[in-house]
Amino acid sequence: MILLKADYKKYPTSKLEKLRMDEDEFYEKFDGCVLLQTCNRVEIYFDVDNLDEIDIDVDKFDILEGDEAVLHLLRLASGLESMIVGEDQILGQIKKSYLKAKELKKTTKFLDTIFLKAIHVGQRVRSETKINEGGVSIGSAAVELAEKIFGLKNKNVLLIGAGEIGTLVAKALKERHIKAIIKAIIIANRTYERAERLAKELSGIAIHFDKLKEALKYADIVISATGAPHQILTKEDLVDVGETIIIDIANPRDVDDSVRELPHIKLFTIDDLKLISEENLKKRKEEIPKVEKIIMEEFENLKRQIKKLEIQDFIKNFTTYIESIRRKEVEKAVNMLKNKNKSPEEILENFSKAFSKKIIYDFVNVIEERHLHGKDLFVEEVIKEICEKTKYSS
């Protein structure tokens, strides 16, 4: 197998975007492959033996082959190659990309085997280790902090900002099954349409920004993540809102620090969240040796599976080769019997000699040629070359 790989380690998102391909056009052109594209990577897995078989510009890709490519896929599915160690999203992306190629009949037995193994490894790693536990993005850390300090059950959550950071918070809320535990979620954004889109995704309520002060009175937890160049919440805005946790993850800050003077307000900033993120990331990294052990165990199992596939193909090809000779010689023998020029005994004798002679000839021819060029004389390799050269014909 050959893997063409480009990811966040080598390119910024803007350059990765230029490497992205139209899936339908790609699969119209190529067979025996899987295309995996995310915001952080473009990877193409080909079931081929050498680059000459790939009609594509490979200059901007790193090239991994054989075991190295397979191990990369297992590590990727386990979350070890992600920008955020242990993140879960990549496993779903791998599965989706594989199923797309499978649906289009573009995979091979080999690709089916390694991708199914990768998905299994990713699931096992997340089940048997803590590689994906604890929020390490600012958005997920904000939700985790609110959950630990105040709890989310039967609480009203107000999310201010529906941009990139706000969307990360929304994703973290969604992962905690907000329908089951959060009483209500309200999204406020200066562009109402964006708030509406995000609220729809979360089964929440979108409000216009001029209704923000009114919404604050109903909120138990406020997470503020706007891109505003100035502060949007002051001490005066929060005097009569009741007991509230405010988590300000905007940069620059959304909430005036004087808010801390209010006894019913608990204010946390991005600095508090960084400590949580760093601690969680440290815990995840401590799990890496366990993950790598699982990967190597499964890799050894995978190699045995692949060997069985190779043996199955080998037996199938050799059977076809033998059968092609047998059919041709049987045809000759039947024609001789029809002409009645020779006795059945003599015809059978000639048939058996011709049958064995053809097999011996092909074997000797390939063995002599391999010996002349200093190649190994393993039976498996010899038979494989015979099958390839004769194309199963006599």
Side-chain angles (χ1 to χ4, degrees), residues 38 75 144 209 211 218-219 238 288 298 338 343 349:
T38 74
R75 289 178 59 83
E144 186 176 326
F209 212 72
K211 301 290 184 182
Y218 296 97
L238 299 162
I288 289 177
E298 294 289 354
K338 286 178 181 177
S343 68
E349 182 70 18

Side-chain angles (χ1 to χ4, degrees), residues 4 28 48 65 81 89 128 180 190 197 225-226 231 233 239 246 286 299 346 353:
L4 304 184
E28 279 180 16
V48 295
E65 300 184 43
E81 296 294 328
Q89 193 176 8
E128 297 180 22
R190 289 195 184 277
R197 282 198 298 270
T226 77
Q231 293 174 341
L233 292 179
V239 169
I246 299 178
E286 288 171 355
F299 180 57
E346 189 178 356
K353 285 181 179 179

Side-chain angles (χ1 to χ4, degrees), residues 61-73:
F61 291 90
D62 291 327
I63 301 167
L64 305 182
E65 300 184 43
D67 287 354
E68 189 181 10
V70 174
L71 274 171
H72 170 79
L73 178 59

Side-chain angles (χ1 to χ4, degrees), residues 162-385:
E164 185 178 347
I165 300 174
T167 302
L168 288 174
V169 175
K171 180 188 171 188
L173 286 168
K174 191 174 182 180
E175 287 173 352
R176 281 165 169 76
H177 310 290
I178 60 171
K179 286 183 182 179
I181 60 173
I182 295 176
K183 187 176 180 180
I185 183 163
I186 305 163
I187 313 290
N189 193 66
R190 289 195 184 277
T191 306
Y192 178 73
E193 289 73 22
R194 293 188 76 168
E196 199 171 32
R197 282 198 298 270
L198 198 55
K200 186 177 180 181
E201 186 179 334
L202 298 172
S203 301
I205 304 163
I207 62 168
H208 291 277
F209 212 72
D210 58 6
K211 301 290 184 182
L212 179 58
K213 288 185 180 179
E214 187 178 334
L216 285 166
K217 295 178 182 179
Y218 296 97
D220 301 302
I221 299 166
V222 177
I223 302 176
S224 194
T226 77
H230 53 77
Q231 293 174 341
I232 62 171
L233 292 179
T234 65
K235 183 178 177 181
E236 289 71 29
D237 296 324
L238 299 162
V239 169
D240 59 350
V241 299
E243 188 178 355
T244 309
I245 281 183
I246 299 178
I247 303 174
D248 183 0
I249 57 176
N251 188 17
R253 296 262 302 273
D254 278 340
V255 185
D256 191 308
D257 208 55
S258 63
V259 164
R260 296 181 188 275
E261 297 171 10
L262 298 172
H264 57 282
I265 300 293
K266 289 183 180 178
L267 174 63
F268 299 90
T269 68
I270 199 166
D271 293 328
D272 300 306
L273 299 179
K274 281 180 180 176
L275 292 174
I276 293 174
S277 297
E278 288 168 5
E279 182 61 29
N280 286 340
L281 183 58
K282 182 183 175 184
K283 288 177 181 177
R284 287 190 180 196
K285 287 182 176 179
E286 288 171 355
E287 295 292 297
I288 289 177
K290 297 178 189 174
V291 173
E292 289 179 332
K293 183 179 178 183
I294 290 173
I295 289 171
M296 292 313 298
E297 283 177 9
E298 294 289 354
F299 180 57
E300 292 302 318
N301 292 337
L302 178 59
K303 285 198 290 187
R304 285 191 285 271
Q305 281 182 261
I306 292 170
K307 195 65 181 174
K308 285 181 181 178
L309 279 180
E310 290 172 352
I311 291 170
Q312 287 170 3
D313 287 340
F314 163 73
I315 292 170
K316 181 182 176 182
N317 292 341
F318 189 54
T319 301
T320 306
Y321 159 72
I322 295 292
E323 179 64 11
S324 67
I325 297 173
R326 188 194 69 80
R327 283 175 181 251
K328 196 145 195 173
E329 295 306 324
V330 164
E331 188 180 339
K332 290 179 185 177
V334 168
N335 288 333
M336 287 181 184
L337 285 169
K338 286 178 181 177
N339 294 331
K340 298 181 180 179
N341 293 329
K342 296 181 180 178
S343 68
E345 290 80 5
E346 189 178 356
I347 292 170
L348 282 172
E349 182 70 18
N350 289 339
F351 163 77
S352 63
K353 285 181 179 179
F355 183 72
S356 59
K357 186 177 179 182
K358 173 60 181 169
I359 296 172
I360 292 168
Y361 172 81
D362 288 340
F363 265 80
V364 170
N365 189 37
V366 168
I367 288 170
E368 286 180 344
E369 190 173 331
R370 289 181 70 86
H371 182 70
L372 187 65
H373 291 90
K375 295 182 180 179
D376 292 324
L377 298 179
F378 297 129
V379 172
E380 187 176 325
E381 290 296 321
V382 170
I383 293 177
K384 182 181 177 183
E385 191 168 332

Side-chain angles (χ1 to χ4, degrees), residues 23-30 33-35 101 104 106:
E23 277 194 348
D24 294 330
E25 290 179 7
F26 173 81
Y27 282 122
E28 279 180 16
K29 186 176 180 181
F30 297 105
C33 54
V34 175
L35 173 64
L104 295 173
K106 294 295 180 176

